[in-house]
Amino acid sequence: MTSLLRSILPNSSPKEEDNYYDDDDDDHSVEYSFAMEYTGPLVSHDIPQVAPVDVRRIPTAAMAVMVSNLSLPVIQPIVKKTDNSPLVYSTKLENFSHIEGVSKSNLENRTLSSSSSDTLGFSDNLNDSNCVSGSSDLDKDCNNHLNPIISDSTKSMSRSQELYSEHSSCESVEASNQGNRTSVVTFRDLPSNNSYSEETDLDEPETVPHRPVVPELKSGLCYRCNKRNRFSEKEFCIVCGAKYCSKCVFRAMGSMPEGRKCIPCIGYRIDESKRGSLGKCSGMLRRLLTNDAIKQIMSSEISCGVNQLPPNLVCVNNKVLSIEELVLLQSCSNPPKKLRPGRYWYDKVSGFWGKEGEKPMQIISADLPVGYQILQDASNGNTNVLINNREITKAEIWMLQAAGIHCEGNPHFWVTADGSYQLEGMNYVMGKLWEKKRVKIVCTALSLPFPSDTSISVGEEVAKETNKVNLKKQEQRMMNKILLVGCDQSGTSTIYKQAKILYDVPFSEDEKQSIKYMIQKNLYSYIAILLEGHEHFEQDYLVEMRRRCADEPSSSGDKIEEKNMYSFNRRLKEFSSWLLQITMSGDLEAIFPAATQVYSPLVEELWKDKAFQATYKRRNELNMLPRVANYFLDRAVEISRMDYEPSEMDMLYAEGVTSSNGVASMEFTFPKSSQDGYMEPLDQNDPSTSYQLIRVHTSSLGEKCKWLEMFEDVDLVVYCVSLTEYDEYHEDINGKQTNKMLASKRLFETIVNHPTLSEKHFLLILNKFDLLEEKIERVPLNQCDWFQDFTPVISHHPHNATSNNNTPLAQRGFHYMAVKFKRLFTTLTGRKLFVSKVTGLEGDSVDLALKYGKEILKWDDERHVVSTNEFSTESIERTTSM
Ligand SMILES: Nc1nc2c(ncn2[C@@H]2O[C@H](COP(=O)(O)OP(=O)(O)OP(=O)(O)O)[C@@H](O)[C@H]2O)c(=O)[nH]1
Ligand SMILES: [Ca+2]
């Protein structure tokens, strides 16, 4: 401690120096002067600095090997002359004797007075494995000398003294022992790994002094050597923000007992804007140190007292927190993640937790006596529906709806921590919110919290959870949200399902079940079309036979009937007419899939029947049969069975996907392919980049897509348009015929103009290209008013060949429509629209489009990195995976 002080003071008076080194000095009043804080003007020149040395942190052999590999200078530990600890010391020496080139005598010669900041910094850096582990002999030894808790006498001291004492280590302890002084200043235990388990960690951190932030240097400069290397990674100090290159980082930061702080910043409060990066060091540091070392440093960084959030910066339900409240909040089994200075609301009954004026962001432990009562407008909801006296947000209404809860009549609900809900004033639990799968889907899609399934117990579990939480944090930071929207029939659900298949995201049991029913129901409708065709074929055949009969008078009419290759037996005849009848009456929906079991044997019989097979062979003549029918009819017998399990392909081809409120959500990552490798160096360090694809039905977005505001945190909007819509019409509510392409254009304008999405990137997917290829040859594009000026040269001047003419018409049609949308987008936003040509039923095509989306997001990231500061906190975080 004192050495640090001395090093800060550029001109320590000789008197002080004398006092310090005079071991036999009993004058305590002089001793205090060392703890005085330097309050003079900021020093502009480099000051030699000494890192405090902690006896407990004296290096072990294992770590020394690492350092010697790096060929760093090594310093020997400080000799502790007290008789109380001979064992400790010899152990240390033994450890040290393993180090190449460091002799015992050499070690013994070094004393505290060696004030080379470099070597001290490095030596301290060796601490790792011993420094924070709370149970080593070294610790016990230290604690024998010291009261681990600040004694009463300490309380009369100035805050800064206290803090200094806290952050000094056994080194200073030793100094006082050597002098046989009565310990007036006593020391607390070093922080443990567990940030939440120890109350003392948070002991009055509001008193931790701020250290002035160093002036920003030109980008790329190392704050120590002043050398510029714009593109090499740097590590920054979480207090002052100074950045250091790999050569200087250890010299500047020493052993990092409180994490990444330059030595003069040790003991100072961290820069709150860097709180998010606590525990996440740069890739550079990870390259320089071993995993264990990094873990130790990062763990101290997260858990040491001075780095804790000051309670007075946190306000819950309009109450500025006391230290006790903050401790309660952070030490509960499920504490708020990423707690930063700010104003929050807390619903003590359910555990919902959010930022003031915003929807809930987390479910934390309930019933904590933290903050005042919640206010009705805490989350700024405008739905007239209350949960535990708080007016909820629209997103939460969707969540309730997904759980099957009706919100008509502005009900007031009472929701408890386990998700049980009841109407206010009624003593009757109506159900549990979290039991429905759909609720989870909606919650993920709308960024609403959902309780984690692991129930957390106390004790060591908390530590595990803290780690998990940190991992989760990491995941959330890396999560890119993609919103997929489009008009009905544009193919959004096909693309959504395709992505599931492409990126190995299994369909849930719920989804499988309802897609299965849908496929089975559709199968009967396809069979009905075949049977209708069959009736015609049978009839035609009869006519034909009769005609032939007329030519050959010898054969009788009865024989003609028998010979009719399209004749069914009685049972099939009955089945056929029954199925046709219910299809005509539109009852198919009501009968299947319930009747599947009963009719499955008939389907089998049908398929074995020659007459039916004859019909089936001619199915191409049946215009009514949708394209996709072939795919399913080939396996009709299998599909009609009760135990049919749809394959992924089946689910893709099935028309539609289940969802609640039109919201479906999935998480995926792009698989690493060897080809990608060379193109994506960034990703190599960054395997955790994951994506969330959210599909939402525009019909559930309300008037003018009002509820898009719920998707404020998406990173990319993918708008889907079917290329075949240009000659299609649908009836609007007033019975007016509207061209579907124009309807798509209008919806596109509404979404692009929506204030929530004003800054978002847009990727336009022009889908169903396979169908366009067929259609455009038959139906000209200018069927749509918007495409009047599409005049492909080829059709008008077939003999005047240009290079253009070799391009297929569909390709040019696509290009033309893409340009139309691009211009529209630029007119609306002044920005660039990205466009992708897709055939939704082809995996590769969807894969390409989504990878394009990924590129857009990556470009955006990189642009930010380059334009702001070359290694901003975020950019460093991005490369971190701790
Ligand atoms: N030929 C072809 N058909 C496609 C393509 N994309 C989608 N389809 C079909 O078009 C129909 C409508 O697609 P959906 O994915 O259901 O479109 P959607 O209306 O956005 O989604 P839902 O609202 O859930 O119905 C389905 O029958 C799909 O199989 C494509 O690229 N080519
Ligand atoms: Ca549809």
Side-chain angles (χ1 to χ4, degrees):
M1 160 189 93
T2 324
S3 61
L4 170 63
L5 254 189
R6 279 160 40 80
S7 71
I8 291 173
L9 296 165
N11 297 310
S12 322
S13 73
K15 171 137 184 23
E16 280 167 350
E17 245 176 87
D18 291 343
N19 282 337
Y20 181 76
Y21 289 109
D22 182 0
D23 283 351
D24 297 316
D25 189 348
D26 284 324
D27 185 353
H28 299 167
S29 63
V30 182
E31 183 185 338
Y32 292 141
S33 66
F34 301 134
M36 292 272 277
E37 205 176 347
Y38 172 65
T39 51
L42 270 180
V43 191
S44 57
H45 57 270
D46 263 354
I47 302 162
Q49 295 160 354
V50 179
V53 176
D54 183 341
V55 168
R56 288 173 292 182
R57 298 176 176 193
I58 286 170
T60 62
M63 289 311 300
V65 169
M66 182 268 313
V67 172
S68 62
N69 284 345
L70 291 169
S71 64
L72 301 175
V74 176
I75 188 173
Q76 50 281 58
I78 290 92
V79 180
K80 191 169 180 177
K81 286 175 187 153
T82 47
D83 293 326
N84 309 24
S85 57
L87 179 95
V88 173
Y89 188 47
S90 65
T91 318
K92 276 178 278 172
L93 277 180
E94 258 163 49
N95 286 341
F96 255 92
S97 61
H98 298 300
I99 304 170
E100 222 178 8
V102 181
S103 72
K104 274 191 183 186
S105 63
N106 203 2
L107 292 170
E108 279 155 358
N109 285 340
R110 294 299 284 256
T111 67
L112 195 68
S113 61
S114 87
S115 60
S116 147
S117 63
D118 289 352
T119 43
L120 267 176
F122 273 111
S123 78
D124 228 353
N125 194 31
L126 302 169
N127 66 42
D128 324 298
S129 46
N130 281 343
C131 75
V132 192
S133 67
S135 59
S136 70
D137 285 352
L138 300 176
D139 272 334
K140 282 181 208 141
D141 180 62
C142 275
N143 294 343
N144 283 342
H145 301 296
L146 305 161
N147 181 349
I149 296 154
I150 296 177
S151 73
D152 283 349
S153 57
T154 323
K155 288 181 182 147
S156 60
M157 289 179 61
S158 78
R159 289 301 185 200
S160 58
Q161 281 171 320
E162 215 179 287
L163 282 155
Y164 254 114
S165 71
E166 183 185 336
H167 297 290
S168 63
S169 52
C170 293
E171 170 202 336
S172 30
V173 172
E174 184 196 325
S176 55
N177 278 334
Q178 283 168 356
N180 290 328
R181 295 167 187 144
T182 329
S183 239
V184 179
V185 183
T186 51
F187 299 84
R188 295 197 291 172
D189 229 350
L190 277 176
S192 79
N193 289 351
N194 183 347
S195 58
Y196 300 118
S197 63
E198 272 184 324
E199 226 172 270
T200 44
D201 284 351
L202 285 170
D203 207 347
E204 309 198 279
E206 78 266 33
T207 59
V208 179
H210 285 288
R211 182 171 188 270
V213 172
V214 296
E216 182 85 23
L217 280 191
K218 267 198 200 142
S219 67
L221 285 187
C222 167
Y223 280 53
R224 189 173 171 280
C225 64
N226 270 334
K227 286 200 185 111
R228 171 185 295 272
N229 189 347
R230 222 182 125 76
F231 296 104
S232 80
E233 208 173 358
K234 292 182 187 63
E235 192 52 272
F236 63 91
C237 167
I238 52 178
V239 175
C240 70
K243 294 169 193 156
Y244 301 103
C245 68
S246 56
K247 292 204 182 76
C248 297
V249 65
F250 296 118
R251 291 159 195 256
M253 293 189 178
S255 69
M256 307 189 214
E258 295 172 3
R260 295 159 297 158
K261 294 182 178 182
C262 355
I263 291 163
C265 287
I266 292 173
Y268 286 92
R269 188 188 278 187
I270 70 158
D271 173 3
E272 282 304 327
S273 73
K274 296 190 170 59
R275 186 165 293 283
S277 58
L278 281 195
K280 299 163 196 159
C281 68
S282 68
M284 176 191 93
L285 209 55
R286 274 187 292 120
R287 280 192 293 279
L288 295 177
L289 290 170
T290 61
N291 273 347
D292 281 353
I294 286 287
K295 257 186 215 150
Q296 285 296 353
I297 293 171
M298 289 302 114
S299 149
S300 326
E301 184 169 294
I302 291 171
S303 57
C304 77
V306 256
N307 293 358
Q308 299 310 309
L309 184 65
N312 58 336
L313 298 184
V314 181
C315 178
V316 176
N317 294 347
N318 273 327
K319 181 175 186 289
V320 172
L321 293 195
S322 65
I323 177 70
E324 290 79 16
E325 284 171 309
L326 184 66
V327 169
L328 265 174
L329 195 59
Q330 294 193 306
S331 59
C332 69
S333 60
N334 193 7
K337 298 168 196 166
K338 298 187 185 181
L339 190 60
R340 305 283 150 76
R343 303 180 63 85
Y344 298 90
W345 58 262
Y346 172 47
D347 170 356
K348 294 174 196 177
V349 182
S350 66
F352 276 127
W353 169 267
K355 285 192 182 137
E356 223 170 80
E358 293 178 20
K359 66 185 176 191
M361 57 196 271
Q362 208 197 321
I363 301 168
I364 65 166
S365 303
D367 297 325
L368 301 174
V370 169
Y372 296 130
Q373 279 308 309
I374 194 164
L375 293 179
Q376 184 165 329
D377 63 351
S379 55
N380 205 18
N382 56 351
T383 55
N384 291 320
V385 178
L386 302 193
I387 287 182
N388 304 341
N389 288 332
R390 175 182 59 91
E391 189 168 352
I392 63 174
T393 57
K394 183 69 183 177
E396 291 166 272
I397 294 274
W398 281 24
M399 173 188 79
L400 293 181
Q401 284 169 352
I405 304 172
H406 297 289
C407 296
E408 287 84 37
N410 308 327
H412 293 189
F413 293 105
W414 201 246
V415 178
T416 53
D418 65 354
S420 306
Y421 59 92
Q422 47 187 298
L423 279 172
E424 216 172 82
M426 314 277 271
N427 196 11
Y428 165 68
V429 173
M430 299 159 74
K432 279 195 179 175
L433 210 47
W434 314 124
E435 276 174 357
K436 297 254 168 61
K437 268 246 167 64
R438 287 180 167 194
V439 176
K440 188 167 189 178
I441 292 172
V442 169
C443 284
T444 349
L446 302 178
S447 307
L448 283 175
F450 191 88
S452 57
D453 10 46
T454 47
S455 58
I456 308 153
S457 64
V458 279
E460 62 174 64
E461 281 297 310
V462 178
K464 278 191 207 155
E465 281 305 313
T466 314
N467 280 339
K468 261 196 233 160
V469 165
N470 285 338
L471 266 176
K472 256 266 141 62
K473 269 187 202 168
Q474 201 80 23
E475 280 165 20
Q476 278 166 1
R477 202 166 31 75
M478 301 289 197
M479 181 72 79
N480 287 297
K481 283 194 169 196
I482 303 174
L483 181 66
L484 179 61
V485 277
C487 284
D488 188 39
Q489 290 299 306
S490 61
T492 50
S493 73
T494 304
I495 288 166
Y496 179 82
K497 286 184 287 184
Q498 191 70 266
K500 279 204 158 202
I501 296 166
L502 280 167
Y503 309 124
D504 267 339
V505 182
F507 286 90
S508 73
E509 282 311 311
D510 259 16
E511 285 170 324
K512 268 191 197 160
Q513 196 57 247
S514 51
I515 292 178
K516 171 181 165 177
Y517 289 156
M518 204 160 44
I519 293 172
Q520 289 181 325
K521 187 201 78 192
N522 286 341
L523 177 71
Y524 283 95
S525 72
Y526 305 148
I527 293 176
I529 295 170
L530 286 171
L531 290 175
E532 204 188 344
H534 163 264
E535 282 195 344
H536 289 292
F537 296 154
E538 190 180 20
Q539 201 63 38
D540 290 351
Y541 192 80
L542 204 62
V543 171
E544 172 69 15
M545 290 301 276
R546 289 227 170 96
R547 202 181 47 77
R548 278 194 208 166
C549 231
D551 298 343
E552 282 175 59
S554 59
S555 52
S556 77
D558 281 359
K559 276 189 180 157
I560 294 172
E561 280 295 334
E562 276 167 27
K563 271 197 257 169
N564 191 335
M565 60 182 288
Y566 291 103
S567 285
F568 278 159
N569 64 30
R570 202 172 55 91
R571 225 170 27 172
L572 289 181
K573 235 179 224 162
E574 273 172 20
F575 173 60
S576 170
S577 51
W578 170 81
L579 188 62
L580 285 174
Q581 193 200 322
I582 60 156
T583 314
M584 301 276 236
S585 60
D587 289 339
L588 197 65
E589 202 94 12
I591 291 172
F592 293 99
T596 306
Q597 192 164 16
V598 181
Y599 292 102
S600 172
L602 278 163
V603 173
E604 200 165 339
E605 190 176 338
L606 202 58
W607 247 258
K608 282 182 189 149
D609 188 84
K610 279 195 183 120
F612 181 79
Q613 278 300 326
T615 307
Y616 189 54
K617 280 200 186 99
R618 293 175 64 185
R619 62 186 181 279
N620 289 344
E621 296 169 39
L622 306 170
N623 288 332
M624 289 288 288
L625 207 59
R627 183 182 288 261
V628 69
N630 276 327
Y631 175 83
F632 291 108
L633 282 171
D634 283 343
R635 286 156 47 230
V637 177
E638 175 205 338
I639 291 172
S640 70
R641 289 201 187 114
M642 277 298 280
D643 57 1
Y644 160 64
E645 291 240 350
S647 69
E648 282 183 336
M649 214 45 178
D650 297 356
M651 289 196 268
L652 176 69
Y653 279 81
E655 296 175 54
V657 69
T658 50
S659 63
S660 45
N661 294 300
V663 183
S665 169
M666 62 174 272
E667 269 179 45
F668 68 94
T669 51
F670 288 99
K672 278 242 142 13
S673 79
S674 48
Q675 292 153 309
D676 287 349
Y678 73 98
M679 282 173 65
E680 297 163 18
L682 236 177
D683 270 17
Q684 303 247 296
N685 298 330
D686 198 6
S688 60
T689 304
S690 54
Y691 297 81
Q692 189 182 358
L693 186 64
I694 306 162
R695 192 202 69 132
V696 62
H697 253 301
T698 37
S699 59
S700 41
L701 286 176
E703 208 187 331
K704 294 195 172 146
C705 298
K706 185 167 183 292
W707 301 121
L708 272 179
E709 66 186 34
M710 279 185 257
F711 300 95
E712 62 192 354
D713 54 351
V714 301
D715 303 291
L716 175 71
V717 182
V718 176
Y719 187 76
C720 194
V721 174
S722 162
L723 283 166
T724 57
E725 284 176 339
Y726 63 93
D727 74 327
E728 292 167 7
Y729 291 82
H730 66 68
E731 233 171 63
D732 64 15
I733 21 171
N734 308 318
K736 221 183 94 196
Q737 292 281 315
T738 317
N739 179 285
K740 279 192 183 176
M741 184 58 83
L742 291 179
S744 259
K745 177 191 175 217
R746 223 163 292 142
L747 179 65
F748 179 70
E749 288 167 336
T750 308
I751 292 176
V752 168
N753 281 331
H754 197 282
T756 304
L757 305 178
S758 64
E759 299 286 305
K760 312 288 183 195
H761 294 292
F762 273 76
L763 169 64
L764 176 70
I765 283 189
L766 292 177
N767 189 32
K768 304 196 189 180
F769 184 72
D770 58 333
L771 296 181
L772 178 72
E773 283 178 311
E774 292 169 23
K775 187 181 247 182
I776 201 163
E777 303 288 346
R778 294 180 284 117
V779 189
L781 218 52
N782 57 21
Q783 289 274 304
C784 170
D785 287 346
W786 193 26
F787 301 147
Q788 284 308 311
D789 52 347
F790 179 63
T791 47
V793 184
I794 188 165
S795 55
H796 298 293
H797 310 282
H799 305 296
N800 183 13
T802 69
S803 62
N804 233 5
N805 290 353
N806 299 328
T807 317
L809 192 57
Q811 181 60 38
R812 275 184 285 157
F814 155 75
H815 189 79
Y816 170 85
M817 289 187 257
V819 170
K820 279 287 189 186
F821 273 100
K822 273 171 171 278
R823 286 194 186 140
L824 174 64
F825 186 78
T826 307
T827 316
L828 295 172
T829 66
R831 293 183 297 128
K832 186 183 163 186
L833 175 70
F834 301 92
V835 184
S836 195
K837 179 182 79 186
V838 169
T839 296
L841 294 178
E842 292 168 11
D844 290 353
S845 158
V846 174
D847 185 36
L848 276 179
L850 290 172
K851 283 197 174 132
Y852 190 40
K854 170 179 127 180
E855 291 301 318
I856 296 167
L857 291 169
K858 230 170 73 181
W859 290 332
D860 187 46
D861 274 357
E862 280 161 20
R863 203 189 57 203
H864 279 308
V865 173
V866 172
S867 65
T868 50
N869 47 350
E870 87 279 47
F871 282 110
S872 62
T873 310
E874 294 100 294
S875 71
I876 288 172
E877 283 175 24
R878 290 199 50 191
T879 58
T880 311
S881 64
M882 247 191 71

